Amino acid sequence: MAKKVREESIPLINYVEDVKEEEVSGDQDVQRCFCSDKQFINGIGVTILTGDYLAPLILAEVPLAPFNEGIVQRYIADGFQRTTALMEIRYGNHKFTGNFEGNEIEYQTKVVGDDGKCIKDEDGHFVWEKKIFNIKNKTYDDFPKELQKKFDNYQLRIATYQDCTMEDVSKLVRKLNMHRAMNANQRALTWIPTYARKIKTITKSQFFANCVTCSDTNRKNGVYEQAVCNSVMTVFHEDEWKKAAKSTSQYLEENSNNEEFETINKYMIRIEKECKDTFQDIFTMKNLHIWIAVFDKFNNYHIDDKRFAQFVQAFRDGLHSKKINGVSFDELDTQKNTKDKKTITEKINLLCDLMKEFLGEEVIELPEEKFENDGIETVLDFVKENVNDETNDEDIALYEDCVMEYIKIDSNLYKQCEKALIALMAYACNKDKDTEFGDWIQKYANANETYSNSQKTNYTYFKYDFDKYLTSKKGAVA
């Protein structure tokens, strides 16, 4: 019994000539017309010229003469778009235009002397060299002969279904073309390979399971991945906001880092812990990155996360329609071009103003500027400048020992806030409140928070919170 599917590899030129001569037909009854774009053709061309993998083309043979065995017509069952791309490059004068990857193609050629003849070494062997040819704005006819040969000789993998009826071929076309092309969000993820795995991991968190409306369509279409990228942009790169998903991914691939994505992940974990599935109507895909940016501002206040959830509830209960500087969030949310940088910024600023008003006196404005010497000044210098200018090295050693009684040296808190903590211990000792420091610091000791890069900012906040703790304790005693 004959094998149902015949597999083989043939030179590309043999295949396209068969197509050109209609020995292989793309005009099967149910075959769709060519509907890909120039970028698709560019990608196929680069794949061939770099020797990368191209998925097998699938053909089907239909006997034409029942009583004359061996006379068949071959039809393309899967691969018509790729076949058309190959034909456009080889015979259609396709010019490689637009923005595409891999336009510089390396190839090997013989070294030619000034006399126009190929140079040989002392053993009579040709001397070879590597060259680069930029195919951008070029056609096949512009290629050096080495690249033309490489293109023509590329080994195409062909799988051929034998002894088919036209009905069989139609079924094959239907079965083999059930896939959908990548949409804009799905393609965008391919432009951020360094962080793609991290992004996908974040989308599998409880935040996306609970805090947003469950949608298999959004998950399949890459909407969640894009929401993560947009959140990194609004929190860390708001001034460089991009409307297009591809542009966002390209920018983050070059300018982001793992710490930024991990910060977004931690924010989402904290929000989910307090909000669960309560605000799915607020944390929509349209505004999710807006709310993550607002939470980033909230994080700077170092207030219990429950207060953020309470603010979101207040927003739902009426703050959404409250006007700040003559405009409400509802009005901004109904504007066209909601992906414009201007609209994004206005939404974030308005929500932050509403949040600050809601939190009232709980908000402490911390200095945002970083000390130029933060990275090089000593702990002694920092304590002298911020606590007591008469502090000496022996004092610092004492303060360090005291801090170490309450905080592990390898803790996240100590690593990020060493100078600020030692300075605060100095402050506490000067007030004879070192024991109280030990009680107060426990709420931060095991917290996995991200703190400011500025030790001045950290110290200012810690001092404010420590003083508040002392006042509350004094009031309790009274």
Side-chain angles (χ1 to χ4, degrees), residues 100-335:
F100 60 97
E101 288 185 295
N103 54 292
E104 292 188 340
I105 308 297
E106 184 180 80
Y107 67 98
Q108 179 177 297
T109 185
K110 297 171 184 174
V111 177
V112 178
D114 294 336
D115 58 359
K117 296 181 179 180
C118 295
I119 298 175
K120 293 185 177 181
D121 61 21
E122 57 186 15
D123 295 323
H125 300 141
F126 286 113
V127 178
W128 299 85
E129 64 178 339
K130 291 287 185 66
K131 285 190 175 181
I132 300 293
F133 182 77
N134 193 330
I135 65 173
K136 194 166 186 179
N137 296 318
K138 303 294 195 304
T139 68
Y140 173 89
D141 291 338
D142 297 321
F143 293 176
K145 65 180 185 300
E146 291 86 356
L147 286 186
Q148 290 181 345
K149 183 177 179 181
K150 188 173 185 179
F151 186 89
D152 289 348
N153 289 342
Y154 181 88
Q155 293 294 300
L156 285 177
R157 296 162 182 82
I158 308 289
T160 304
Y161 281 80
Q162 303 177 79
D163 197 23
C164 297
T165 65
M166 284 299 279
E167 184 180 2
D168 292 333
V169 182
S170 295
K171 289 179 180 178
L172 277 175
V173 172
R174 182 172 65 248
K175 181 175 72 172
L176 297 171
N177 287 275
M178 295 295 285
H179 64 279
R180 294 174 58 190
M182 283 185 167
N183 62 30
N185 288 332
Q186 293 164 339
R187 282 196 302 271
L189 193 64
T190 69
W191 289 97
I192 187 169
T194 302
Y195 309 106
R197 175 56 56 187
K198 180 67 175 178
I199 293 168
K200 293 177 74 173
T201 299
I202 294 173
T203 65
K204 295 175 183 177
S205 69
Q206 288 299 108
F207 178 87
F208 283 95
N210 295 330
C211 291
V212 302
T213 301
C214 182
S215 170
D216 290 338
T217 300
N218 283 343
R219 185 170 292 283
K220 291 177 182 178
N221 289 341
V223 176
Y224 292 169
E225 284 84 353
Q226 192 56 39
V228 173
C229 291
N230 287 343
S231 297
V232 175
M233 288 296 292
T234 54
V235 171
F236 297 103
H237 309 279
E238 184 182 343
D239 290 342
E240 299 296 331
W241 172 260
K242 314 292 182 186
K243 289 176 64 175
K246 175 183 174 182
S247 298
T248 296
S249 293
Q250 288 178 315
Y251 178 84
L252 292 177
E253 175 68 17
E254 296 296 325
N255 298 280
S256 189
N257 54 62
N258 280 307
E259 288 72 21
E260 291 181 353
F261 283 96
E262 183 55 32
T263 296
I264 298 303
N265 187 35
K266 290 178 180 177
Y267 284 173
M268 290 181 172
I269 290 172
R270 289 166 58 187
I271 293 172
E272 193 279 333
K273 182 179 179 181
E274 297 300 333
C275 298
K276 301 299 181 185
D277 60 356
T278 308
F279 303 113
Q280 291 182 353
D281 59 323
I282 305 297
F283 299 144
T284 62
M285 289 298 105
K286 177 181 177 182
N287 290 318
L288 184 57
H289 52 290
I290 304 292
W291 281 102
I292 299 298
V294 173
F295 186 81
D296 176 64
K297 300 297 189 296
F298 172 85
N299 181 65
N300 293 333
Y301 303 148
H302 293 270
I303 301 172
D304 193 302
D305 289 350
K306 287 184 174 60
R307 294 293 283 147
F308 180 78
Q310 291 168 2
F311 165 65
V312 180
Q313 181 64 56
F315 174 83
R316 172 197 275 165
D317 291 343
L319 290 182
H320 60 86
S321 61
K322 181 174 182 177
K323 292 188 176 184
I324 298 288
N325 296 324
V327 65
S328 69
F329 187 87
D330 286 346
E331 292 169 333
L332 290 178
D333 204 38
T334 56
Q335 290 182 355

